[in-house]
Amino acid sequence: MPSPLASKWTRVFVFLLCLVPLGILVFRALTANLGANPVEFIQHATGDWTLRFLVITLCITPFRKLLKLPDLIRFRRMLGLFAFFYACLHFLTYLGPDQSFDLAAMWKDVAKRPFITMGFAAFVLLIPLAITSTAGWIRRLGGRRWQMLHRLIYISAICGVIHYYWLVKSAVLRPLTYAAIVAILLLWRLGDWLIRRDRTIAAPAETQRAPANS
Ligand code: HEM
């Protein structure tokens, strides 16, 4: 029986699910339910969802391997693009209401406030990933170079966590929780890479020994 994860409808369902945070924001805006400071509310919600989507995207490979669910890979691109989508909304709420679309003022602020510098770095790193997320770009770059480039998502997630940690004054539990999750995911990757590297080194040695043993 084909896995439900391979179904087109599961993809449609996940796509709609990813739009729920936006739907809630739009609904709250339409019903004037964004609190005393609507811009701040949207800024915080979109910042939170950017980080959540980054982490969820990073979970795909370990979950795919550990749970033996190869079809999970079909959702990675969509989830990564949703991280970028919410990052764009987050950045726009800063560039528009905060900086009145004044790019010179924005650059000054990016240079002056370290937490903004870090958020900006996290955002900029996602741009090449979003651009090269298509099958055409995988072909053009070649699988290996494409994979190397897409490791930037880890740096982006680390910058995103530091951005969050630096902006909160005292409630550090949430940014530290994200930091722990990103660290675990990174360490898992490192472990997985080391195991695969050892196997590749061991494989030719085994092949060389084989004729002598047989
Ligand atoms: C991948 C990129 C980014 C991630 C993951 C991210 C994440 C976050 C998070 C989690 C928050 C806090 C939300 C909360 O308090 O619940 C936040 C707030 C904020 N972010 Fe970002 N952010 C990113 C990019 C940016 C960029 C590019 C800018 C502007 C250049 C920016 C400016 C802000 C501002 C102004 C706040 C609110 C700060 C305050 O409350 O004083 N962020 N962001």
Side-chain angles (χ1 to χ4, degrees), residues 3 16 44 65 67 74 87 93-95 97 110-111 123 128-129 149-150 165 183-184 192 196 204 211:
S3 150
L16 293 175
H44 284 208
K65 292 194 177 178
L67 304 176
R74 295 158 55 83
T93 55
Y94 164 81
L95 186 62
V110 168
F123 177 59
L129 306 195
L149 176 72
H150 279 250
Y165 182 77
I184 291 170
D192 186 55
R196 276 187 290 126

Side-chain angles (χ1 to χ4, degrees), residues 40 43-48 50-51 54 87 90-91 94 98 106 110 113 115-116 119-123 126 156 160-161 163-164 167-169 174 178:
E40 199 180 276
Q43 217 161 50
H44 284 208
T46 50
D48 282 340
T50 305
L51 202 50
L54 277 177
H90 184 57
F91 176 60
Y94 164 81
D98 260 19
M106 183 201 83
V110 168
R113 292 200 285 171
F115 93 88
I116 294 286
F120 194 72
F123 177 59
L126 289 180
S156 174
V161 169
H163 163 69
Y164 190 10
L167 77 87
V168 294
K169 309 283 179 307
R174 280 176 69 189
Y178 279 112

